[in-house]
Amino acid sequence: MEKGNYKVDENGFYGDFGGAFVPENLQKNLDELNHCFKSYYSSKEFQDEYNQLLRDYVGRPSPLYLAKRLSAKYGAKIYLKREDLNHTGAHKINNTLGQILLAKHMGKKKIIAETGAGQHGVATATVCALMEMECIVFMGALDMKRQFPNVQKMRMLGAQVIPAESGTKTLSDAVNEALDYWIKNTDSFYLLGSAVGPHPYPDMVAHFQSVISKEMKKQLLEHEGTENPDYILACIGGGSNASGAFFEYLDRPEVKLYGIEAGGMGVETGKSAAALLTGEEKVLHGSKSLVMCDENGDVREAFSISAGLDYPGVGPLLAHMKSTKRLNVLASTDSEALEAAFELTHLEGIIPAIESSHALAALGKIKFKPTDIVVVNLSGRGDKDMEMYLKHYAFLVEEEIHKQ
Ligand SMILES: *Cc1c(COP(=O)(O)O)cnc(C)c1O
């Protein structure tokens, strides 16, 4: 199950990154959680229930689709791993289902979670409804306005959504408030949404998302007669879909791994969410990783068109993979991602999430051979992004009119 050099150590570190920087009373909760994860995750009881839900509730395995027109355009064999087809529209449900089963096993009744765009909040509220648990979601007050349909979904699913009014009123503040609440209410279970935060969350979330690369190996063997692609591309917010898509290949250096960050207005402008490319070593939200900082060493606000990538930090596994050169890191700007979203829609009839479009936009930045097998992890679908896409579309139409 564990992976050589990229296996977490017993203190929760990947090389220099990770750990658990939390108050003492939370450390007790984390130890309990880690113990439950270690003993229960590999049990037959957990695996049976988890795998059955992944199949019948989520709709797994997600297809590995050979995108012929996209392949012709970029001169390689390009496959899309269709996480966009999962129940609730993205990879996030793989993780929330895993964690809710741990919570149930630990006898917890109350779940707390943070959310940015609302995708993790919806996936958490979904599994709470399924398992009859109380659900409290912390969400930046500004994000609640920007992503109101997801707030309504969470409420319909029975969750209580609490606005985070501090700081910039976005994801980073929601995590702070969820952690604060947890410190005061240690009987609750914190269901964290990405491969970030204190140990054991990054390791645990990567394991729950590893179903993506486990399926990929089987599907490639079927389609191509080999488990290994030449490239895997995934977008990086906190790093959960990327960790899952890379997981089974960490110790296979012949498979090139590419993580694509949100370049926002351009990495060089400082208005980005490119924590791997521009971050410094710092503790954020309970673990040490690469974090975007200002000249005083304080956390800098992230900037991206994509709410799901709009986070100033990144998970410790990916920071370690970058520092050991296992991971190639690129960035796609807001406008490159928008263009890629329209390109996929026109070529393949698939409207991708704006997060996933950042990975798609990297296809034009890598020099492929015609025989290369490339997998892009299509982390989610674009329904939630329609308003923004339509605005961009109106802009494109207007440009067209001006040209004539
Ligand atoms: C949340 C989200 C992401 C970013 O989160 P990671 O933890 O980096 O995977 C990417 N794509 C979609 C569709 C998302 O909802």
Side-chain angles (χ1 to χ4, degrees), residues 90-92 119 193-194 235-242 308-309 353 355-356 379-380:
H91 65 289
K92 294 218 163 67
Q119 295 300 104
S194 189
C235 67
I236 297 179
S240 71
N241 88 88
L309 305 182
E355 290 84 8
S356 323
S379 55

Side-chain angles (χ1 to χ4, degrees), residues 67-295:
K68 291 216 178 86
R69 295 184 66 201
L70 196 67
S71 297
K73 161 111 202 218
Y74 290 103
K77 264 189 158 171
I78 300 174
Y79 285 93
L80 304 175
K81 182 62 173 154
R82 300 289 309 275
E83 295 300 299
D84 59 314
L85 295 176
N86 294 341
H87 180 44
T88 69
H91 65 289
K92 294 218 163 67
I93 191 86
N94 305 328
N95 171 46
T96 56
L97 265 180
Q99 287 194 48
I100 203 81
L101 292 181
L102 296 189
K104 193 174 79 163
H105 188 67
M106 290 169 82
K108 301 286 183 180
K109 297 271 181 293
K110 180 159 59 172
I111 304 296
I112 57 172
E114 82 299 334
T115 195
Q119 295 300 104
H120 175 59
V122 169
T124 303
T126 298
V127 297
C128 285
L130 182 69
M131 295 294 170
E132 209 184 340
M133 301 246 194
E134 184 186 347
C135 181
I136 302 178
V137 180
F138 293 87
M139 184 170 190
L142 181 66
D143 287 338
M144 282 181 71
K145 282 200 191 117
R146 291 196 291 196
Q147 307 286 341
F148 197 62
N150 274 339
V151 175
Q152 288 168 310
K153 272 192 202 168
M154 285 183 264
R155 288 182 175 149
M156 181 165 174
L157 287 159
Q160 186 188 350
V161 185
I162 298 186
E165 302 280 2
S166 59
T168 55
K169 305 185 194 327
T170 57
L171 175 59
S172 197
D173 312 296
V175 181
N176 284 332
E177 299 203 9
L179 283 170
D180 271 354
Y181 183 93
W182 200 27
I183 289 168
K184 292 178 196 126
N185 300 271
T186 47
D187 59 326
S188 47
F189 184 100
Y190 186 9
L191 206 163
L192 217 164
S194 189
V196 300
H199 180 63
Y201 284 103
D203 180 44
M204 207 168 68
V205 175
H207 275 85
F208 290 142
Q209 293 294 356
S210 69
V211 64
I212 300 173
S213 49
K214 288 195 175 91
E215 289 175 2
M216 219 190 267
K217 285 203 305 197
K218 274 195 211 153
Q219 292 167 321
L220 281 170
L221 193 60
E222 237 168 66
H223 289 292
E224 296 287 344
T226 167
E227 288 183 347
N228 289 2
D230 296 289
Y231 294 83
I232 302 172
L233 277 59
C235 67
I236 297 179
S240 71
N241 88 88
S243 305
F246 300 158
F247 197 86
E248 290 288 319
Y249 297 101
L250 291 171
D251 289 335
R252 300 186 184 185
E254 62 277 23
V255 180
K256 299 176 203 67
L257 306 177
Y258 277 75
I260 296 93
E261 298 197 295
M265 311 277 274
V267 170
E268 67 294 343
T269 66
K271 292 206 141 251
S272 82
L276 286 170
L277 288 172
T278 69
E280 292 162 38
E281 273 188 37
K282 185 180 171 68
V283 172
L284 175 67
H285 298 141
S287 78
K288 189 165 144 204
S289 190
L290 293 171
V291 180
M292 296 186 359
C293 296
D294 63 18
E295 51 292 347

